[in-house]
Amino acid sequence: MHVVYPAVVAALLFSVGVYGVLARRNTILVLMSVELMLNAVNLNLVAFDVWLRDVLHSGQVLTLFVIVIAAAEVGIGLAIVLAVFRTRKAIELDRLRELGEP
Amino acid sequence: MNGVDFWPPSTLEVVFLLLGLVAVGSALLVVTTRQLVHAALWLVVCFGALAGCYLVLTAEFVAWVQVLIYVGAVVVLLLFGIMLTRAPIGRSDDLDSGNRVVAAVVAVATAGVLVGVVVGGFQHAYAELRPGAGSAEELGASIFRNWVLPFEALSVLLLAALIGAIVLSRTDIKGRR
Amino acid sequence: MIASLVVVLPFAGAVLGLLLPRHPHGRSPADNLAANKRAAWFGVVPTALSTALVGWLAWENTPSTSVLTKIDTGGIAITVGLEVAELSVLTAMLVGVVALAVQVYSVGYMRGESRYPSFSAFISLFTSAMLLVVFAADLLVLYVGWEIMGLCSYLLVGHWWEERANSRAAIKAFLVTRLGDVGFLFGIFVLGFAAGSFRIADIMAADIPEPTLVLATLLLLAGVAGKSAQVPLHTWLPDAMAGPTPISALIHAATMVAAGIFVVARLYVLFPQPTLDVLGVAAAIGMLGAALAAFAQNDLKRVLAYSTISQLAYMAAALAGGARDAAVFHLVTHGAFKALLFLCAGAVIHHVGSNLLGHMGGLRRSMPVTFTTMTIGYAALIGLPPASGFFSKDAILYGLERSSSPIQLVLYGSALLTVGVTGAYATRAWLMTFFGTGKIQALPEPAPGTAHVFDGREAPLSMLWPMGVLAVPALLLGFTDAGEFHLAPAVTALAVALLGAAFVYVIWRGAPERDPARLLGPFRDPCEQAFYVDRLYAAVFVRPVLALARGVVRTDDDVVDGAVRATGRATVGLSGLTRHLQNGNAQLYVTGVLAGVLLIAVGAVVLG
């Protein structure tokens, strides 16, 4: 297996995630895009772990850790989104601009 | 460098590329679809394809964890979020912000830079696949021998996230005045 | 070894005098008296010891050099060392004796003054610095002493600083001498780098090309003119009379102002003819002009100040004419008799309560001792036999007569004329002080700077003793060099001086109430104003410099500070523009961050 293939797939996936983060209004969609980016990283980690044959399996172990952290992140993120929705009645990012310069 | 040609591709490579294509394609649909729930469903497809990629790369355990946690838990969580924020079900045209064109430019540029760098850097790298290298046995041994401490720290982190999420979502806990 | 003790002893006295007298602290009059008493011991004893050691050196009479250490500077090393030679011992003797006399005299003059301890300590410091100049074996060491002298002069002239005019005079003295010292320092540098050493002996032995020598000595001459109050840097000396009279006697008559002449005499072999000619021209103008100015002054101390300028110009003329020994001889005798004159003037002012000649008169009966000693001083100043001035002036005139200098005629003519004018102004001051009718009136309140109220008695003993002691060398010092006596110039000078004196006497005799200075007619005002040099300097230098300073202040306010303020305003304005980017849309921010990261990555890939 050429390492270039998973690396390129991961790069494309990451870029798609970047687009989602920058272009989507709905906060939940932005969270999904962040998940895409994290998965791109995971793919890279696994591919390089396989390529380098790491004795400690650090790539795959780190992938597991990232998955765990991603789960926690989604949990917290959704809680925040819900809190925001409860107080503002909106989760559209471009409507949440109280911190902007008047 | 080690003389493995790109052409003809091996069967595994063909499978991997097809799965990757599915993953990238469904990811694109996630960020472009006009229906919120469809986005979550396309995300399932994308994660599933990625799990397939992991399988091809001999990382079985990671693949199953991916299916369990991402497909099983994260996506369900996201669907709950969609439901709780009373998002419109069905087509809605205002899911994209006015930032779309700039975002597209930045994303394409990111892709260009990353792909360019990756292709330039790993052109000749070739990974010999060894079945069983990512089995639950191997990974379990590795985690509980070499990565115990980060693992325990991570469990504390998870606990903290759990409590944090509960505190954030309950309405009867007021902040200190 | 002994020379270093000579220098260090007064310095130690100064340190002790500054630190100790006020223990235990107290501000009552009794405490002041006790502090003054202790300070007087700290002032007198080290100076006396130092003078005694100089006397031993003079008796031993063996030239020697001692080097304490050599300071490596990376360039030319500085030799910290002292050199004992005939000239230095002679000058040091003068310095020691006059300083001792002045220290003793000050005890009486400054009685009850609350700042007497620092006063006497500064005199000690000054004495130490002057002795350092005299004995220094290295030009930079000499310069250290030279600058400390200038500092002490500043501090002591401004002793009664409560009066604004006094502190102004102190600042003027400091600035004008400093102007000359800049040239002096650069002269030292030129000499040091030309010879590759700052040691005086090395420099004198070095083979320095003539143009370098002319440049270096002309620069040195600037410092000499500043310290010795020679034209064109003489204007500070009359104003410096604002200081207490003992200071005028020590610093501004006998020692510091003589330091310039001393340095020229010390480095005499280095001075090429062109420099000496410049010195000669300045001296010729200075001696006659200052003597005329002295004739028109109404303030006794200013008369003596202009007289000092004139007499110093005499020595400078002698140096310019090649008569170095005569110049040194006159330096010593002048130091003695001018210090004496100042001390006597201090006693008179102490007695009368005023500096002005118009307030004096008929004092010969109430102050017999002062009258006698001051008469000796005036006789020496005029050059009457057998006083010391007669011999030293004769030596100078003889030297000038024989001189091979290209401006010999100017020097000789000017010197002879000055002898006449000197006779005239000395006689005038003498007559107006001690003869005629008494016009003494007690001033209502003694202003600082004009000493004390009239008490109708002769000065205290501590003031009379130094006067008496100084009168001896003023009268007899001339005989030490009587072997070099030449009759013809002596008779000429005596005749001219007597002519001037007799002229004034006749005028005064006609109307004792009126100032003989009226003899000058329309020239009286220019003479009294010292030919408007001060006003000329004010117009040519002071006012333009002040205008320039104001311009600099305005530039600083408007341009420099304006730039700073404008930077602030521009920043605020620009941030007013950029803050519109802060519209609260977090996505926009992230887009910017990612685009920036991308640019950096591309830059790193392309450039790296």
Side-chain angles (χ1 to χ4, degrees), chain C residues 131-505:
Chain C
L131 289 169
L132 183 63
V133 167
V134 168
F135 285 119
D138 186 287
L139 275 181
L140 282 175
V141 175
L142 185 149
Y143 186 73
V144 170
W146 183 269
E147 286 300 335
I148 296 176
M149 284 199 305
L151 172 71
C152 290
S153 165
Y154 164 75
L155 292 170
L156 291 168
V157 169
H159 181 71
W160 284 312
W161 44 261
E162 291 91 343
E163 187 89 358
R164 194 153 173 75
N166 292 351
S167 66
R168 289 248 164 137
I171 290 172
K172 183 177 179 184
F174 192 71
L175 286 183
V176 174
T177 48
R178 196 53 14 89
L179 187 65
D181 290 350
V182 174
F184 193 74
L185 184 58
F186 277 83
I188 290 177
F189 288 154
V190 172
L191 279 180
F193 282 98
S197 164
F198 284 119
R199 278 189 71 159
I200 296 174
D202 293 351
I203 291 174
M204 295 220 265
D207 183 26
I208 305 173
E210 165 127 357
T212 314
L213 266 187
V214 171
L215 174 70
T217 49
L218 279 177
L219 285 168
L220 284 183
L221 217 52
V224 168
K227 267 293 190 267
S228 285
Q230 290 302 296
V231 175
L233 295 179
H234 62 283
T235 54
W236 64 272
L237 187 59
D239 287 356
M241 293 301 125
T245 310
I247 294 314
S248 309
L250 175 65
I251 300 184
H252 304 125
T255 52
M256 185 182 87
V257 289
I261 305 298
F262 167 81
V263 165
V264 179
R266 180 90 163 80
L267 306 173
Y268 196 67
V269 293
L270 294 175
F271 279 73
Q273 196 57 41
T275 315
L276 289 179
D277 291 345
V278 172
L279 180 65
V281 171
I285 297 171
M287 71 171 105
L288 191 55
L292 284 171
F295 190 67
Q297 296 303 312
N298 199 23
D299 181 324
L300 177 57
K301 285 183 71 181
R302 286 178 84 91
V303 171
L304 293 177
Y306 278 110
S307 157
T308 305
I309 297 177
S310 172
Q311 296 300 312
L312 288 166
Y314 245 98
M315 301 166 208
L319 290 170
R324 171 181 176 263
D325 292 339
V328 174
F329 186 28
H330 193 55
L331 187 153
V332 175
T333 58
H334 171 260
F337 72 71
K338 189 51 69 65
L340 171 65
L341 278 174
F342 265 110
L343 293 187
C344 296
V348 169
I349 290 166
H350 200 278
H351 183 81
V352 176
S354 164
N355 282 5
L356 297 182
L357 283 173
H359 292 166
M360 302 169 186
L363 289 175
R364 71 179 183 283
R365 294 200 195 290
S366 55
M367 309 181 73
V369 179
T370 312
F371 173 62
T372 315
T373 50
M374 201 159 187
T375 306
I376 291 173
Y378 277 132
L381 174 61
I382 298 172
L384 297 180
S388 57
F390 173 69
F391 295 97
S392 56
K393 260 186 202 178
D394 165 61
I396 288 181
L397 282 171
Y398 179 74
L400 288 180
E401 207 179 14
R402 298 291 161 98
S403 168
S404 58
S405 163
I407 53 167
Q408 180 258 342
L409 213 59
V410 179
L411 288 176
Y412 186 68
S414 182
L416 212 53
L417 268 178
T418 308
V419 169
V421 182
T422 306
Y425 73 71
T427 311
R428 167 179 173 262
W430 185 61
L431 289 173
M432 288 182 74
T433 313
F434 292 108
F435 292 88
T437 50
K439 292 169 244 176
I440 296 165
Q441 54 221 356
L443 293 177
E445 184 70 27
T450 54
H452 308 284
V453 275
F454 167 65
D455 55 6
R457 278 173 291 131
E458 180 66 284
L461 269 183
S462 59
M463 288 164 71
L464 290 182
W465 264 106
M467 282 150 60
V469 168
L470 272 182
V472 175
L475 190 62
L476 300 178
L477 203 56
F479 290 107
T480 55
D481 214 20
E484 296 289 308
F485 182 65
H486 307 282
L487 194 62
V491 171
T492 321
L494 189 59
V496 174
L498 283 177
L499 193 67
F503 203 41
V504 170
Y505 182 72

Side-chain angles (χ1 to χ4, degrees), chain B residues 136-167:
Chain B
E137 190 189 343
E138 286 233 352
L139 265 186
S142 182
I143 285 177
F144 291 105
R145 275 201 195 113
N146 305 313
W147 298 90
V148 174
L149 215 57
F151 182 81
E152 293 299 335
L154 211 59
S155 60
V156 176
L157 178 93
L158 261 184
L159 180 66
L162 191 71
I163 295 170
I166 292 171
V167 170

